[in-house]
Amino acid sequence: MTNKIYIIHENDDWVEPLRKELKVINAPFEEWHLGKRNVDHLNEPPQGVFYNRMSASSHTRGHRYAPEHTAVVLNWLEKYKRRVINNSRALALEISKSLQYKELESFGIKTPKTIYCSNKESILKSANIFRKPFITKHNRGGKGLGVKLFNNKKELDSHVSSKNFEPSIDGITLLQEYIDASPKVIIRAEFVNSKFIYAVEVDASEGFELCPACPEDQIDVPETQFFGDYCPTIGNKFRIIKNYKINSLIEKYEKFISTNGIEIAGIEYVIDKNGEIFTYDVNTNTNYNPQAERRSEIKGMRSIANFLKKELLSLYNIKVVA
Ligand SMILES: Nc1ncnc2c1ncn2[C@@H]1O[C@H](COP(=O)(O)OP(=O)(O)O)[C@@H](O)[C@H]1O
Ligand SMILES: [Mg+2]
């Protein structure tokens, strides 16, 4: 039995760029699509490196319980001390903005003021504390689920009582201060092997992006009317920042992710008019923008493929020595 890289996921399309890179370097791999197949745990897991790419938005692709199933599978893998990249702790963060913000703050990373609401009544009541525009978003989000901008409580009232209101799949809706960025860009810092690889700037002058790489995401998200509905893979809204200096924020991100079992991630932040930085999203299931990467030496998926292969080889060497 050969050692392999196992890719745990629930979206075939998102795996395609990784498949391509793994084939180029002859790295053996197998996919576990946890929205489609069951993994029985009667036996020991196979030998190999397990890369968890489960997504918080899996329910929007008909895989309502794929994250829960993944949690069980990761428990089994971790029980048998398998090498898991983006482990059970990483999954817990992927599916909860509340946990992301708590952890970010414990590393001294500022997040926007946020209230967590478990029903419509509390959403309406909590909105009173915002004097400036605010947004709603889902605790278990991804692809901009539930992200809407409100200028005042009246606008929120009419939305929440309309049939367009959609609660988060885990029942928790966030109310969050809207960070008015100046200039109108957001930044996404990418990490592989818990180390920074590059930062991409997204032009948000016509609205904020929802997903940095996936055109599909733009199609079935009605919320895009509030944050711009352009497809990020078309045009050049995405630009890898040249000579981005590793700064104290990036160092904090690296510590935050490595402490939380996250080795591959994209972390998003925005800078307000006073120069204050707010971090608002941690993605453990990261995709890369092909247009932006065209002019870059560093390629996200290639970095992941090389990292996975390196991990597999070191595992194999350890086994031979033993
Ligand atoms: N507090 C905020 N202020 C301003 N814009 C925001 C804020 N939070 C999110 N956005 C915009 O909405 C987009 C989606 O929000 P995000 O928190 O990243 O949710 P998701 O996990 O669904 O990607 C972001 O990329 C950003 O453009
Ligand atoms: Mg995001």
Side-chain angles (χ1 to χ4, degrees):
M1 191 170 52
T2 51
N3 291 355
K4 277 187 213 165
I5 295 158
Y6 291 86
I7 307 166
I8 294 171
H9 72 99
E10 59 76 44
N11 187 346
D12 288 319
D13 294 342
W14 282 347
V15 183
E16 186 48 30
L18 180 57
R19 278 183 208 121
K20 217 174 108 212
E21 297 294 347
L22 289 170
K23 282 177 193 159
V24 170
I25 57 172
N26 282 322
F29 68 95
E30 185 177 318
E31 293 178 35
W32 286 4
H33 187 308
L34 294 193
K36 287 184 187 162
R37 60 168 282 182
N38 194 58
V39 177
D40 85 58
H41 304 163
L42 290 174
N43 301 312
E44 275 200 26
Q47 293 295 338
V49 168
F50 295 81
Y51 169 33
N52 158 35
R53 281 184 59 85
M54 186 47 50
S55 160
S57 62
S58 71
H59 58 282
T60 65
R61 288 173 291 277
H63 306 134
R64 166 62 185 88
Y65 293 113
E68 284 75 8
H69 184 199
T70 302
V72 171
V73 170
L74 296 181
N75 289 342
W76 172 61
L77 295 173
E78 289 169 15
K79 174 178 159 191
Y80 286 99
K81 310 260 180 287
R82 290 298 182 269
R83 174 75 176 98
V84 179
I85 292 167
N86 285 3
N87 68 16
S88 54
R89 175 71 179 170
L91 176 67
L93 272 100
E94 166 72 17
I95 61 172
S96 171
K97 287 229 166 21
S98 145
L99 189 57
Q100 291 175 19
Y101 296 166
K102 171 195 162 251
E103 275 304 312
L104 285 165
E105 279 155 26
S106 76
F107 284 82
I109 300 163
K110 197 169 173 66
T111 64
K113 181 161 79 181
T114 304
I115 306 175
Y116 303 89
C117 305
S118 61
N119 54 44
K120 285 188 178 182
E121 224 180 11
S122 65
I123 295 173
L124 295 176
K125 218 170 119 204
S126 307
N128 288 322
I129 75 144
F130 292 100
R131 297 277 160 263
K132 290 186 183 154
F134 56 90
I135 59 171
T136 54
K137 65 170 82 165
H138 290 181
N139 187 51
R140 188 189 285 198
K143 62 186 229 182
L145 289 172
V147 177
K148 291 187 195 295
L149 174 63
F150 299 94
N151 289 301
N152 51 51
K153 181 160 181 293
K154 207 167 148 233
E155 286 180 12
L156 179 76
D157 282 0
S158 75
H159 173 66
V160 170
S161 50
S162 81
K163 62 177 186 344
N164 293 331
F165 175 75
E166 203 190 333
S168 174
I169 197 74
D170 69 355
I172 307 297
T173 298
L174 276 57
L175 291 184
Q176 187 170 88
E177 67 177 314
Y178 170 70
I179 310 299
D180 197 4
S182 179
K184 283 252 175 291
V185 295
I186 65 113
I187 312 240
R188 178 160 160 139
E190 299 288 356
F191 300 82
V192 174
N193 193 10
S194 300
K195 293 269 165 259
F196 175 77
I197 58 163
Y198 66 64
V200 63
E201 184 181 87
V202 186
D203 174 358
S205 55
E206 292 172 36
F208 285 114
E209 121 283 19
L210 298 169
C211 167
C214 182
E216 270 179 308
D217 271 7
Q218 304 296 311
I219 292 163
D220 61 352
V221 182
E223 288 87 348
T224 50
Q225 71 216 34
F226 288 91
F227 281 96
D229 60 358
Y230 63 86
C231 169
T233 61
I234 299 169
N236 51 2
K237 299 250 172 208
F238 289 69
R239 185 179 67 82
I240 291 177
I241 303 171
K242 273 198 186 143
N243 306 320
Y244 183 96
K245 294 242 168 13
I246 305 268
N247 50 47
S248 62
L249 180 67
I250 296 294
E251 283 164 2
K252 283 179 191 167
Y253 283 162
E254 287 181 345
K255 277 197 196 118
F256 152 69
I257 60 173
S258 58
T259 309
N260 279 287
I262 302 171
E263 294 169 73
I264 296 170
I267 305 182
E268 294 168 17
Y269 68 86
V270 65
I271 308 175
D272 77 1
K273 294 196 162 129
N274 304 317
E276 194 154 12
I277 299 177
F278 294 84
T279 302
Y280 61 82
D281 191 24
V282 177
N283 303 277
T284 65
N285 166 47
T286 191
N287 293 312
Y288 303 97
N289 183 267
Q291 265 79 9
E293 283 200 345
R294 207 174 282 161
R295 283 187 239 133
S296 162
E297 295 264 297
I298 307 166
K299 319 272 186 200
M301 257 336 151
R302 191 165 301 164
S303 308
I304 293 182
N306 288 333
F307 171 51
L308 295 175
K309 186 174 179 186
K310 199 176 110 249
E311 290 304 299
L312 186 68
L313 288 177
S314 72
L315 197 75
Y316 178 74
N317 289 338
I318 289 164
K319 275 188 63 187
V320 168
V321 172

